[in-house]
């Protein structure tokens, strides 16, 4: 029986917020940003919002629909950032480009929690959506390339597109880490860095520069072959879309069970790949510092080794960035600690070479340098447009504030 006495507490009516759809989109974007597309379920999103799954499905038919909405929102932001106001027709070329850089930096900082989705998870878009997403970013890059042409008409088309891609890579790299820096300091740091890249006198030779390899590799042991094939598959298809059976077939094993003679499973292969990539970078630090006479010289050596090593193992470098959320939790702790040690060692050299920078600012630039190599390799591959020497020059501009000496 309903209590209708005057002293009965008023019945609370739970009303649906008017902005429920936007609230769902924002919360799901935050979840994807933290855990990746495959690391989040519709139930997870419903729990974050304290609503039922049924209520969630009233607004979005699937997890993919939420993912698609966030990625296309980000690509739309890139398009809006490169749009100039009418009065810009009377501005100098440099002021027009500076205005666009401001807009890109502000949009990226504002959306920092989900920026990494656009960098690493976009391959999970369905073909039509992927085409729309990449088309919008391609249009944005073309607009920036045209603005760079107006500022530096002496640059050729390849040089302009490399610098346009580079500035997006450097600015968006803040989505890959959690280094804390106030917006008041972060925004000018990012903008000054990309201006250094735009204005830098970089190596102009476009011939396919040979990658300095350690020599011909002998036929790998079976555990090494398994690791190499697994990395190639993770790079091509994404870790969640690769099975142990796929890896066994790629390594020419008779059955998936044969993989377990060498690795405990797929996740063990991923962790081994991460350790391989981290060890390659960390092992170079002490010898480079010992052999150098200045911090800048040591950092220059590390940049050279990092770029050439990344060109030599493009798939491994990409997987290292794109698949971290799929590493087992226990391995994540160890790997994250090693990552932090590497970044801090590099950042310390940056601050010694550039004492005007704080350690946090230097860490931002080191992360930007690492991300830049991945993005340029993914965009241009081995087509000769962006050879190792050019990438090395760009990393000098980012980390040291000047291009590498010729």
């Amino acid at each position: 029986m309903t209590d209708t006495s005057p002293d009965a507490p008023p019945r609370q009516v739970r009303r649906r917020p008017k902005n429920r759809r936007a609230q769902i989109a924002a919360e799901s974007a935050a979840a994807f940003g933290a855990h990746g597309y495959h690391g989040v379920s519709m139930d997870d999103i419903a729990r974050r919002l304290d609503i039922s799954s049924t209520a969630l499905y009233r607004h979005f038919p699937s997890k993919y629909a939420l993912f698609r909405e966030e990625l296309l929102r980000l690509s739309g932001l890139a398009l809006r950032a490169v749009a100039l106001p009418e009065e810009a027709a009377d501005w100098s070329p440099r002021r027009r480009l500076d205005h666009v850089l401001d807009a890109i930096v502000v949009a990226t900082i504002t959306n920092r929690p989900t920026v990494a989705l656009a960098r690493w998870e976009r391959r999970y878009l369905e073909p039509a959506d992927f085409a729309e997403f990449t088309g919008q970013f391609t249009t944005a890059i073309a607009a920036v390339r045209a603005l760079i042409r107006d500022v530096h008409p002496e640059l050729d088309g390849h040089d302009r597109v490399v610098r346009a891609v580079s500035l997006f890579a450097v600015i968006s790299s803040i989505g890959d880490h959690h280094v804390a820096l106030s917006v008041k300091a972060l925004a000018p740091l990012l903008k000054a860095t990309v201006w250094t890249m735009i204005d830098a006198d970089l190596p102009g030779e476009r011939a396919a520069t040979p990658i300095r390899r350690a020599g011909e590799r002998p036929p790998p042991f079976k555990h090494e072959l398994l690791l190499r094939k697994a990395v190639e598959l993770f790079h091509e298809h994404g870790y969640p879309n690769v099975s142990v059976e796929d890896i066994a077939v790629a390594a020419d094993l008779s059955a998936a069970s044969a993989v377990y003679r060498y690795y405990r499973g797929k996740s063990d292969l991923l962790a081994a790949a991460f350790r391989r990539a981290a060890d390659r970078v960390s092992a170079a630090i002490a010898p480079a510092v010992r052999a150098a006479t200045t911090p800048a010289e040591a950092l220059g050596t590390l940049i050279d080794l990092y770029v050439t090593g990344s060109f030599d193992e493009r798939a491994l470098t990409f997987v290292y960035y794109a698949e971290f959320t799929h590493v087992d939790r226990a391995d994540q702790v160890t790997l994250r600690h090693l990552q932090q040690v590497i970044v801090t060692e590099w950042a310390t050299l940056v601050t010694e070479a550039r004492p005007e920078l704080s350690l946090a600012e230097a860490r931002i630039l080191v992360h930007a340098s690492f991300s830049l190599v991945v993005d340029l390799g993914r965009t241009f591959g081995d087509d000769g447009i962006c050879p190792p020497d050019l990438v090395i020059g760009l990393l000098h501009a980012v980390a040291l504030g000047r291009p590498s000496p010729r």
Side-chain angles (χ1 to χ4, degrees), residues 56-127:
L56 188 58
Y57 281 107
R58 275 200 295 266
H59 296 276
F60 291 92
S62 65
K63 182 179 78 166
Y64 178 79
L66 283 159
F67 176 67
R68 172 188 182 276
E69 176 145 320
E70 177 60 15
L71 284 223
L72 293 182
R73 186 186 73 85
L74 291 172
S75 59
L77 284 176
L79 271 185
R80 289 193 290 278
V82 301
L84 287 165
E86 290 184 10
E87 60 267 27
D90 299 325
W91 295 351
S92 68
R94 199 168 188 88
R95 184 180 174 189
R96 287 197 293 271
L97 179 52
D98 196 68
H99 175 90
V100 165
L101 293 181
D102 272 334
I104 296 172
V105 167
V106 169
T108 304
I109 292 175
T110 303
N111 293 275
R112 184 175 181 179
T114 60
V115 164
L117 286 176
R119 290 164 60 76
W120 311 118
E121 304 275 289
R122 64 195 189 200
R123 56 186 163 160
Y124 300 124
L125 286 169
E126 294 177 358

Side-chain angles (χ1 to χ4, degrees), residues 19-76:
N19 64 341
R20 174 66 86 191
R21 181 181 172 87
Q23 185 185 40
I24 291 171
E27 195 63 40
S28 64
F32 293 142
H35 305 292
Y37 174 59
H38 287 91
V40 177
S41 69
M42 289 291 269
D43 286 340
D44 294 331
I45 297 167
R47 279 194 296 270
R48 290 171 70 110
L49 290 158
D50 193 25
I51 63 175
S52 68
S53 297
T54 302
L56 188 58
Y57 281 107
R58 275 200 295 266
H59 296 276
F60 291 92
S62 65
K63 182 179 78 166
Y64 178 79
L66 283 159
F67 176 67
R68 172 188 182 276
E69 176 145 320
E70 177 60 15
L71 284 223
L72 293 182
R73 186 186 73 85
L74 291 172
S75 59

Side-chain angles (χ1 to χ4, degrees), residues 67-348:
F67 176 67
R68 172 188 182 276
E69 176 145 320
E70 177 60 15
L71 284 223
L72 293 182
R73 186 186 73 85
L74 291 172
S75 59
L77 284 176
L79 271 185
R80 289 193 290 278
V82 301
L84 287 165
E86 290 184 10
E87 60 267 27
D90 299 325
W91 295 351
S92 68
R94 199 168 188 88
R95 184 180 174 189
R96 287 197 293 271
L97 179 52
D98 196 68
H99 175 90
V100 165
L101 293 181
D102 272 334
I104 296 172
V105 167
V106 169
T108 304
I109 292 175
T110 303
N111 293 275
R112 184 175 181 179
T114 60
V115 164
L117 286 176
R119 290 164 60 76
W120 311 118
E121 304 275 289
R122 64 195 189 200
R123 56 186 163 160
Y124 300 124
L125 286 169
E126 294 177 358
D129 297 327
F130 183 82
E132 182 178 356
F133 174 89
T134 54
Q136 289 181 324
F137 265 108
T138 299
T139 301
I141 289 169
V144 172
R145 183 179 60 196
L147 292 168
I148 293 174
R149 177 199 61 210
D150 295 340
V151 172
H152 287 295
E154 75 279 6
L155 298 178
D156 67 23
H158 287 164
D159 216 341
R160 292 194 298 269
V161 74
V162 167
R163 294 179 202 230
V165 169
S166 296
L167 72 86
F168 275 102
V170 164
I171 294 170
S172 64
S173 69
I174 64 171
D176 295 336
H177 57 83
H178 302 286
V179 176
L181 193 64
S182 69
V183 173
K184 187 176 179 180
L186 180 57
L189 176 68
L190 292 173
K191 199 168 80 163
T193 301
V194 298
W195 266 121
T196 300
M197 291 193 302
I198 291 166
D199 292 335
D201 182 16
L202 298 171
E205 194 63 42
R206 294 289 172 196
T209 306
I211 298 171
R212 296 183 286 278
R213 303 182 189 271
E216 290 299 319
R217 293 174 175 167
F221 292 110
K222 185 60 72 174
H223 76 279
E224 177 69 21
L225 178 63
L226 274 168
L227 182 59
R228 188 182 304 174
K229 293 299 182 182
V231 167
E232 290 172 359
L233 290 170
F234 298 157
H235 174 236
E236 184 175 356
H237 303 291
Y239 176 83
N241 298 326
V242 176
S243 66
V244 174
E245 288 77 11
D246 296 330
I247 298 168
V249 169
D252 200 25
L253 293 178
S254 57
S257 59
V259 173
Y260 299 107
R261 297 177 198 158
Y262 306 93
Y263 294 93
R264 290 172 302 194
K266 191 174 71 162
S267 63
D268 198 34
L269 278 158
L270 184 63
F274 269 74
R275 289 192 293 271
R276 171 72 57 84
D279 289 346
R280 185 191 74 203
V281 180
S282 63
I285 295 173
V289 171
R290 283 197 301 267
T293 56
T294 66
E297 182 184 347
L299 195 57
T301 299
L302 291 176
I303 288 171
D304 185 87
L305 292 172
Y306 182 78
V307 171
T308 53
S310 297
F311 269 66
D312 194 16
E313 296 186 282
R314 286 191 193 276
L316 177 60
T317 304
F318 179 85
V319 167
Y320 185 80
Y321 273 86
E323 305 293 357
F324 188 80
T325 57
H326 299 296
V327 176
D328 285 347
R329 293 290 182 185
D331 289 321
Q332 280 189 22
V333 173
T334 302
L335 290 166
R336 198 177 293 280
H337 174 71
L338 182 53
Q339 289 172 349
Q340 291 170 348
V341 169
I342 292 169
V343 171
T344 299
E345 292 286 349
W346 277 56
T348 300

